[in-house]
């Protein structure tokens, strides 16, 4: 039995310059350097990326979907944050 | 939580799936949903990993460099697919070590097709053409399954898998157009792989225990018998095209159904192989467990090296 298991890492890949890094999946590796190398082999075998980020999964803090109500509801009734809320005469152009 | 509250949550959960909403790892889910997904996704991952063994057998003896790089890339993809699926499975709260332990102890199953031997180069053709062909038919519907991480992994798998089938068919095509000996080799491989490939799509609908629940959760979009019929209908013309004969005397086009009728499948053989009595079950597990145990010192050394690096950094900082 191994003394200690390789920790889990989350992999983010930028598919081309101009686009953001996107979550691609996860993998196990002994350290960050190995995580990068493994991510290259596991997630970019067909030129899917030009840049990779890895972050140890335990360092990610995630919101709890059970609290989605109090977290996201406040944005729901604020229609005045959208341009369609404002009534303008049809004659107004370029706005 | 009271029983009533759970019932209510379950009802909302089923409604979400019916609306085609995806379920994500931290969402509430019925325990049965979690367990069923762990079972199916891990079986799928194990099949990818064990599936490397019959083909790995031929990498060093591929007839040309072109065939060799293609086979190597295919086997590497299978390792990748196993890894996508294991990590998707881990989002359900089971560890990688537990998953490996289930495979190595025989508690978890993998696709029974990998318990057949690959005795000639033509088997690389038949495996790619038939086994990957059947796998694709099984997998494409899973790209829209209800569990988000599984669906996303399957999209990647399906995208990569189509080259696997094409490289297999190309091997068969080449052999079928070669010397009489080469054509015989291709026919022999087809003879041996045809029936196991049909079995690979699972027991008949009447025998399949999980179908109804799996349909509801979109873990399954078509029944085993429908998938099998689809596989036969699309594969028979491909065999004809390269002049090979499907080893089924009862195979006949049915004008009325617009499908092929086919002969009886030997389900006894299928269950024997599932229960561990196939020609290669023991050999496959021995190779897999051997690789895992043989690699232990490498895993430990990598971890020790990583710890040492952290330690050195901390010391320097002081």
């Amino acid at each position: 039995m191994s003394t200690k298991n390789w920790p889990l890492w989350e992999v983010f890949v930028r598919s081309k310059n101009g686009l953001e890094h996107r979550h691609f999946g996860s993998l196990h590796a002994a350290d960050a350097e190995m995580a990068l190398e493994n991510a290259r082999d596991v997630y970019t075998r067909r030129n899917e990326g030009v840049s990779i980020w890895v972050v140890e999964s335990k360092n990610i803090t995630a919101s709890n979907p059970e609290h989605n109500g109090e977290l996201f509801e406040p944005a729901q009734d604020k229609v005045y944050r959208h341009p369609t809320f404002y009534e303008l005469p049809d004659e107004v152009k370029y706005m | 939580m009271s029983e009533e509250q759970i019932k209510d949550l379950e009802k909302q959960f089923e409604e979400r799936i019916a609306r085609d909403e995806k379920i994500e790892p931290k969402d509430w889910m019925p325990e049965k949903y979690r367990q069923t997904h762990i079972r199916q996704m891990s079986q799928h991952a194990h099949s990818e990993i064990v599936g490397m063994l019959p083909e790995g057998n031929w990498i060093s003896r591929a007839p040309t460099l072109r065939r060799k790089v293609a086979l190597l890339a295919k086997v590497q993809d299978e390792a990748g697919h196993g890894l996508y699926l294991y990590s998707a499975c881990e989002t359900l709260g089971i560890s990688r070590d537990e998953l490996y332990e289930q495979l190595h102890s025989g508690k978890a199953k993998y696709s029974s097709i990998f318990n057949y031997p690959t005795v000639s180069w033509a088997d690389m053709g038949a495996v790619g053409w038939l086994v990957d062909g059947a796998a694709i038919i099984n997998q494409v519907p899973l790209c829209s399954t209800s569990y988000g991480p599984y669906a996303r992994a399957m999209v990647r798998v399906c995208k990569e898998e189509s080259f696997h089938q094409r490289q297999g068919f190309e091997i068969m095509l080449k052999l079928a157009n070669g010397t009489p000996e080469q054509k015989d080799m291709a026919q022999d491989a087809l003879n041996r792989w045809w029936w196991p490939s049909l079995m690979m799509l699972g027991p008949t609908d009447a025998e399949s225990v999980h179908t109804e629940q799996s349909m509801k959760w979109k873990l399954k979009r078509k029944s085993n018998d429908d998938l099998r019929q689809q596989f036969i209908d699309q594969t028979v013309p491909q065999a004809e095209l390269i002049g090979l004969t499907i080893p089924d005397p009862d195979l006949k086009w049915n004008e009325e159904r617009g499908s092929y009728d086919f002969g009886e499948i030997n389900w006894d053989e299928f269950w024997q192989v599932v229960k561990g009595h196939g020609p290669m079950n023991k050999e496959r597990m021995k190779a897999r467990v051997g690789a895992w145990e043989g690699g232990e010192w490498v895993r430990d050394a990598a971890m020790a090296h990583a710890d040492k690096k952290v330690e050195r950094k901390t010391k320097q900082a002081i």
Side-chain angles (χ1 to χ4, degrees):
Chain A
M1 190 62 205
S2 294
T3 37
K4 215 172 130 197
N5 294 327
W6 289 0
L8 188 68
W9 301 77
E10 300 301 322
V11 179
F12 300 83
V13 176
R14 184 202 296 287
S15 35
K16 60 177 192 187
N17 276 9
L19 294 177
E20 62 279 75
H21 285 77
R22 196 165 61 80
H23 185 238
F24 263 46
S26 50
L27 49 77
H28 289 269
D31 59 22
E33 209 181 321
M34 188 198 275
L36 269 182
E37 283 163 8
N38 288 0
R40 197 268 319 252
D41 290 341
V42 177
Y43 292 105
T44 63
R45 287 192 303 283
R46 289 175 175 78
N47 291 317
E48 287 94 336
V50 295
S51 160
I52 304 175
W53 288 348
V54 290
V55 55
E56 211 179 321
S57 312
K58 68 171 188 202
N59 292 327
I60 292 181
T61 309
S63 66
N64 183 343
E66 276 167 42
H67 303 151
N68 274 6
E70 56 259 49
L71 203 58
F72 299 113
E73 244 163 44
Q76 272 172 19
D77 59 1
K78 297 180 176 56
V79 279
Y80 45 85
R81 284 179 175 159
H82 299 276
T84 43
F85 177 74
Y86 302 91
E87 287 171 27
L88 299 182
D90 290 345
E91 293 78 48
V92 181
K93 302 285 182 213
Y94 307 115
M95 195 180 283
Chain B
M1 244 182 294
S2 76
E3 222 169 277
E4 201 156 305
Q5 277 173 309
I6 291 179
K7 274 235 168 75
D8 203 41
L9 282 172
E10 275 175 9
K11 194 169 158 262
Q12 287 173 22
F13 180 84
E14 301 291 347
E15 285 166 359
R16 285 181 66 191
I17 292 182
R19 281 198 302 271
D20 263 335
E21 262 181 54
K22 297 286 179 207
I23 306 302
E24 294 295 345
K26 289 173 76 98
D27 292 349
W28 183 88
M29 61 185 80
E31 198 43 36
K32 196 165 169 226
Y33 181 90
R34 184 186 302 277
Q35 293 307 334
T36 303
H37 277 75
I38 289 177
R39 197 189 66 232
Q40 179 165 332
M41 289 163 72
S42 67
Q43 266 182 24
H44 198 159
H46 299 328
S47 302
E48 298 281 357
I49 297 302
V50 178
M52 288 193 281
L53 298 170
E55 292 180 302
N57 182 31
W58 281 94
I59 292 173
S60 61
R61 288 172 286 153
T64 66
L65 188 58
R66 183 178 186 273
R67 296 284 176 218
K68 187 172 180 160
V69 291
L71 186 59
L72 200 54
K74 177 178 192 287
V75 172
Q76 201 183 14
D77 272 352
E78 274 146 18
H81 297 173
L83 293 174
Y84 306 156
L85 289 161
Y86 278 131
S87 59
C89 195
E90 282 175 85
T91 62
L92 289 165
I94 186 165
S95 73
R96 182 74 58 98
D97 265 37
E98 285 173 90
L99 292 168
Y100 284 158
E101 162 55 26
Q102 290 178 355
L103 172 65
H104 298 161
S105 68
K107 191 179 164 230
K109 300 273 179 249
Y110 55 88
S111 184
S112 60
I113 193 108
F114 301 119
N115 291 316
Y116 290 87
T118 44
V119 297
S120 84
W121 170 251
D123 287 7
M124 294 305 95
V127 167
W129 174 34
L130 303 173
V131 177
D132 286 88
I136 290 169
I137 284 189
N138 236 337
Q139 288 170 348
V140 167
L142 288 173
C143 294
S144 56
T145 191
S146 64
Y147 189 55
Y150 194 23
R152 291 192 286 276
M154 289 318 299
V155 169
R156 300 181 62 83
V157 169
C158 289
K159 225 193 260 169
E160 297 178 355
E161 200 106 336
S162 71
F163 115 70
H164 297 183
Q165 197 192 9
R166 291 175 72 127
Q167 70 91 34
F169 188 71
E170 200 193 74
I171 291 172
M172 292 303 257
L173 171 73
K174 198 87 181 169
L175 289 170
N177 289 323
T179 63
E181 288 83 1
Q182 286 172 325
K183 189 170 180 183
D184 285 350
M185 224 165 96
Q187 182 63 52
D188 170 62
L190 172 57
N191 292 350
R192 283 179 292 107
W193 290 94
W194 175 253
W195 292 102
S197 301
L198 296 190
M199 294 173 198
M200 193 185 151
L201 292 154
T204 58
D205 295 350
E207 296 263 341
S208 181
V209 278
H210 305 298
T211 296
E212 199 189 341
Q213 183 61 266
S214 295
M215 288 271 192
K216 229 192 208 166
W217 288 339
K218 301 180 181 172
L219 257 177
K220 212 173 217 179
R221 316 298 301 246
K222 278 181 181 176
S223 77
N224 294 351
D225 287 338
D226 287 348
L227 294 171
R228 195 164 10 249
Q229 186 70 61
Q230 184 189 338
F231 175 72
I232 293 169
D233 290 347
Q234 71 185 45
T235 310
V236 173
Q238 294 167 356
E240 281 168 1
L241 198 75
I242 55 174
L244 296 180
T245 312
I246 303 281
D248 177 359
D250 297 322
L251 190 80
K252 214 174 81 206
W253 177 252
N254 183 325
E255 194 65 59
E256 206 175 305
R257 287 200 307 125
S259 268
Y260 283 92
D261 291 335
F262 55 99
E264 194 77 37
I265 293 173
N266 181 355
W267 290 109
D268 270 353
E269 178 185 322
F270 174 75
W271 291 115
Q272 283 299 319
V273 180
V274 169
K275 283 179 190 138
H277 310 302
M280 298 295 277
N281 293 57
K282 287 208 178 73
E283 176 69 30
R284 298 289 183 240
M285 268 310 98
K286 208 177 119 206
R288 173 59 205 152
V289 174
W292 179 246
E293 287 175 352
E296 185 174 318
W297 71 272
V298 181
R299 294 191 299 278
D300 287 349
M303 208 58 233
H305 177 65
D307 286 345
K308 217 190 235 170
K309 268 202 295 190
V310 173
E311 219 173 281
R312 204 175 300 148
K313 230 184 189 171
T314 333
K315 260 193 202 147
Q316 270 172 2
I318 295 172

